[in-house]
Amino acid sequence: MTSLSDPSLPGFPDILAAAARIAPHAHATPVLRSRGLDALAGCELHFKAEHLQRAGAFKFRGACNAVFALDDAQASAGVVTHSSGNHGAALALAAQLRGIACHVVVPEGALRSKLAAIEAYGATLHHCAPTIAAREARCAEMQRDTGATLVHPYTDPRVIAGQGTAALELLNAVPGLDLLVAPVGGGGLSSGTALAAATRAPQCRVIGAEPSGAAETRDSLQRGVRVTEFTPDTICDGLRGTLGEPNFQLLRALAVQVLTVDDRDTRTAMRLIWQRTKQLVEPSSAIALAAVLAHRDVFAGRRVGIILSGGNVDLDALPLFADQRLSTWEQKP
Amino acid sequence: MTSLSDPSLPGFPDILAAAARIAPHAHATPVLRSRGLDALAGCELHFKAEHLQRAGAFKFRGACNAVFALDDAQASAGVVTHSSGNHGAALALAAQLRGIACHVVVPEGALRSKLAAIEAYGATLHHCAPTIAAREARCAEMQRDTGATLVHPYTDPRVIAGQGTAALELLNAVPGLDLLVAPVGGGGLSSGTALAAATRAPQCRVIGAEPSGAAETRDSLQRGVRVTEFTPDTICDGLRGTLGEPNFQLLRALAVQVLTVDDRDTRTAMRLIWQRTKQLVEPSSAIALAAVLAHRDVFAGRRVGIILSGGNVDLDALPLFADQRLSTWEQKP
């Protein structure tokens, strides 16, 4: 196991501190069960319902922790990030709750509905060209001009610690989990989950569920070096980001295993969740159940935690999902 | 107020008995809140989540009460009903739990997905022509041939009492409700709700939400005589049935007010619920919120209970709903 001696990496105490810090603002989300899905999967599934978190995703935990960890002087200059997705809305809400400014840099072409959600929480949008260079330049410009603190969507240690509070709550609520599955994108949720489990439930294995079309985390862990060159091709819009460096270090040190999942299986799992639990989760959430169903041998007969990471489905895109028929997984309940 | 002296009508004690009878089998569903929807509606909304009930709808309460109220001799001959929707699946599950036969008469042309759900719970399907006469003849034939007990979807007093347990739980969980809104189809849920409220919370007004395209309950209450001749035209497939006679008597005696809702408003309300609460409810559920949003003056500033009656959305029909844009109700959260 790689050492975790790097003092810039968050640790378990940071997760405990985050849990206390966000408690007045974040929802302690419920854990859901489904007889039908247990029967289909051949194991015992405990779904941590982060799609019911404020702003519709676990992202609020990390953003809230980052915003409320600022001292008053830092906070007064506001926060800035780049994200056209759930992190943008989460940071906007956290900033609104603290009563400080929030700047969100968004690429041209971002979804109108996502931008509307960010603006609805009172943040200011700043448009840029849809490249990483343009995005980072615009963010640096905002920091320089306003003094705002950058809150990166997944490499910020306060964000990682915040995301770990979801797993902490789940492990506290459901003793004896054998496995815990979290989606993997940039690695904020998965590394926070691994940190929480390593101390709170060391016997519990943490599995990352990653789209086959954006499997740079699996590749990075296999090669022992972070892969940053790849072109994501997946319906899981929340999982297209590039694995961050601290996230890579944590996942490697904590021996997280990554299982890859085809989009076809993610669509089927999403439809199953909608049908059986009536919970409208997004593809980036459903991938965790898809990993269980696509790798049955890993989970057979075990007690499995699943982090349903978010529910911000683009309702205008529903027809794209609705024609996905059930696969052979489907059987009588 | 009309007298409730007819001994064939259920009363509040029957609801208490039903609650005790179904407790080992039915879910005590949660009550959900949404800051965003409260702000949109201008009142305090408490959603009773019956879409999370077993078999996906409140219908399981009535069916379960009817099945477990049978004595062993009656039960051994099984039960029969006609329903291609939620009641069919609910009765099938209740019969499966008691270990008795269940026959469900379904009209030709019924949705495959609904029939699959009924069969998955072990019931036997009997097809008939899509007319009321054919349906009733086939049911009578089944009763004669098998000795099975008919459990009508909404006129059976055991069913009405069972449906009333949802409101009873909500009134117990949320003290001081000013208004309680239930969808109106055949009248099983609305009359059970009115019975529960009349004794448990007499200060609470019960409102029925009925599709404009199937408003025979409003018409019946206005004319003082049950209207049975009408052709339903609504997306609320659970609310197309004809108001039953005992249901009419109860709604009239208990002074339930009916508000009608256009399908367009129901679609918008459904989309709002999906977006804000991540709960996949069906049109026949969403109509209750639509009634609140379309008749704001009735609810302004009040504490309002809403029965989300079911979540059995036909996922193959999602594209039909997805193109419904938000109306002027939509505003920043």
Side-chain angles (χ1 to χ4, degrees):
Chain A
M1 185 183 279
T2 313
S3 139
L4 276 176
S5 56
D6 182 341
S8 72
L9 294 177
F12 188 72
D14 297 305
I15 296 179
L16 294 179
R21 191 176 287 125
I22 71 175
H25 313 290
H27 292 322
T29 55
V31 179
L32 309 178
R33 303 292 319 274
S34 163
R35 285 180 178 82
L37 293 179
D38 281 3
L40 274 176
C43 59
E44 192 183 298
L45 300 168
H46 299 262
F47 294 95
K48 178 66 171 167
E50 284 299 297
H51 63 295
L52 303 180
Q53 187 51 265
R54 293 185 76 175
F58 74 94
K59 293 278 187 181
F60 179 68
R61 294 175 180 271
C64 184
N65 187 47
V67 163
F68 284 87
L70 298 175
D71 64 34
D72 287 347
Q74 289 172 312
S76 66
V79 287
V80 59
T81 196
H82 49 80
S83 162
S84 53
N86 289 332
H87 175 68
L91 190 68
L93 173 57
Q96 185 182 61
L97 291 170
R98 185 147 183 194
I100 64 176
C102 179
H103 305 278
V104 182
V105 174
V106 295
E108 281 153 21
L111 265 181
R112 257 314 304 155
S113 60
K114 299 269 183 184
L115 302 188
I118 296 172
E119 282 191 304
Y121 290 124
T124 308
L125 295 179
H126 303 271
H127 296 271
C128 73
T131 67
I132 293 178
R135 191 178 71 185
E136 294 184 344
R138 195 82 178 83
C139 260
E141 189 185 313
M142 294 305 308
Q143 288 178 264
R144 198 179 55 235
D145 292 353
T146 65
T149 300
L150 177 68
V151 180
H152 188 279
Y154 48 85
T155 63
D156 190 303
R158 298 162 295 198
V159 169
I160 295 172
Q163 317 306 33
T165 61
L168 182 65
E169 283 177 17
L170 175 55
L171 293 165
N172 286 340
V174 186
L177 286 181
D178 299 307
L179 296 132
L180 186 45
V181 189
V184 177
L189 179 64
S190 53
S191 60
T193 299
L195 263 185
T199 297
R200 180 63 185 78
Q203 80 296 341
C204 177
R205 264 174 72 197
V206 174
I207 306 274
E210 188 171 46
S212 304
E216 91 287 4
T217 302
R218 178 203 55 193
D219 295 345
S220 300
L221 292 172
Q222 278 178 359
R223 296 183 204 170
V225 58
R226 188 165 70 103
V227 174
T228 57
E229 293 295 315
F230 73 105
T231 305
D233 176 14
T234 172
I235 57 164
C236 301
D237 56 323
L239 307 180
R240 291 179 191 142
T242 305
L243 177 66
E245 180 58 35
N247 313 89
F248 171 57
Q249 288 182 40
L250 287 166
L251 293 178
R252 192 156 69 138
L254 298 167
V256 169
Q257 184 189 354
V258 171
L259 296 175
T260 58
V261 180
D262 293 342
D263 278 358
R264 184 189 156 73
D265 291 344
T266 295
R267 285 172 191 267
T268 306
M270 184 165 68
R271 192 176 157 120
L272 276 171
I273 293 171
W274 292 2
Q275 184 185 57
R276 299 303 177 88
T277 73
K278 317 304 179 192
Q279 303 302 298
L280 200 58
V281 299
E282 58 186 274
S284 303
S285 296
I287 191 175
L289 176 63
V292 172
L293 294 169
H295 302 270
R296 300 178 69 92
D297 49 316
V298 176
F299 301 92
R302 315 302 289 275
R303 202 168 162 86
V304 182
I306 292 208
I307 300 189
L308 290 179
S309 50
N312 293 327
V313 176
D314 177 16
L315 294 181
D316 294 326
L318 278 187
L320 301 180
F321 302 128
D323 64 352
Q324 178 70 27
R325 291 307 184 284
L326 294 174
S327 77
T328 50
W329 295 335
E330 182 61 24
Q331 50 185 242
K332 291 185 178 182
Chain B
M1 185 184 277
T2 313
S3 141
L4 276 175
S5 56
D6 182 341
S8 72
L9 294 176
F12 188 72
D14 298 304
I15 296 179
L16 294 179
R21 192 175 287 126
I22 71 175
H25 311 291
H27 292 322
T29 55
V31 179
L32 308 179
R33 304 291 318 274
S34 163
R35 284 180 179 82
L37 292 179
D38 280 4
L40 274 175
C43 60
E44 191 184 298
L45 300 168
H46 299 262
F47 295 96
K48 178 68 171 165
E50 284 299 297
H51 62 295
L52 304 180
Q53 187 50 265
R54 293 186 75 175
F58 74 94
K59 292 278 186 181
F60 179 68
R61 294 176 180 272
C64 184
N65 187 47
V67 163
F68 284 87
L70 298 174
D71 65 34
D72 287 347
Q74 290 171 312
S76 65
V79 288
V80 59
T81 195
H82 49 81
S83 162
S84 53
N86 289 332
H87 175 68
L91 190 68
L93 173 57
Q96 185 182 61
L97 291 170
R98 184 146 184 195
I100 63 175
C102 179
H103 304 279
V104 182
V105 173
V106 295
E108 281 152 22
L111 263 182
R112 256 316 305 156
S113 60
K114 298 270 183 184
L115 301 188
I118 296 172
E119 282 191 303
Y121 290 124
T124 308
L125 296 179
H126 303 271
H127 296 272
C128 73
T131 67
I132 294 177
R135 191 178 72 184
E136 294 185 343
R138 195 81 177 83
C139 263
E141 190 184 313
M142 294 302 310
Q143 288 179 265
R144 198 178 56 234
D145 292 353
T146 65
T149 300
L150 176 68
V151 181
H152 188 281
Y154 48 86
T155 63
D156 190 305
R158 299 162 295 198
V159 168
I160 295 172
Q163 316 308 31
T165 62
L168 181 65
E169 283 178 16
L170 175 56
L171 293 165
N172 285 339
V174 185
L177 286 180
D178 299 307
L179 296 131
L180 186 45
V181 188
V184 177
L189 179 64
S190 54
S191 60
T193 299
L195 264 184
T199 297
R200 179 64 185 77
Q203 81 297 341
C204 177
R205 263 174 73 195
V206 174
I207 306 274
E210 187 171 47
S212 305
E216 93 285 7
T217 302
R218 178 203 56 193
D219 295 344
S220 299
L221 292 172
Q222 278 179 358
R223 296 184 204 169
V225 58
R226 188 165 69 103
V227 174
T228 57
E229 294 294 315
F230 73 106
T231 305
D233 176 17
T234 173
I235 57 163
C236 301
D237 56 324
L239 307 180
R240 291 180 191 141
T242 306
L243 178 66
E245 180 57 35
N247 314 90
F248 170 58
Q249 289 182 39
L250 286 167
L251 294 178
R252 192 158 67 140
L254 298 167
V256 169
Q257 184 189 354
V258 170
L259 297 175
T260 58
V261 179
D262 294 342
D263 278 358
R264 182 188 156 75
D265 290 344
T266 295
R267 286 172 190 264
T268 305
M270 184 165 67
R271 191 176 157 122
L272 276 171
I273 293 171
W274 292 1
Q275 184 184 58
R276 299 304 176 88
T277 73
K278 317 302 180 193
Q279 303 301 298
L280 200 59
V281 299
E282 58 186 274
S284 304
S285 297
I287 191 175
L289 175 63
V292 172
L293 294 168
H295 302 270
R296 300 178 69 92
D297 50 316
V298 176
F299 301 92
R302 315 302 289 276
R303 201 168 162 85
V304 182
I306 292 209
I307 301 190
L308 289 179
S309 50
N312 293 327
V313 176
D314 177 16
L315 293 182
D316 294 327
L318 279 186
L320 301 180
F321 300 129
D323 63 351
Q324 178 69 27
R325 292 305 184 284
L326 294 174
S327 76
T328 49
W329 295 336
E330 183 62 26
Q331 50 183 243
K332 291 185 178 185

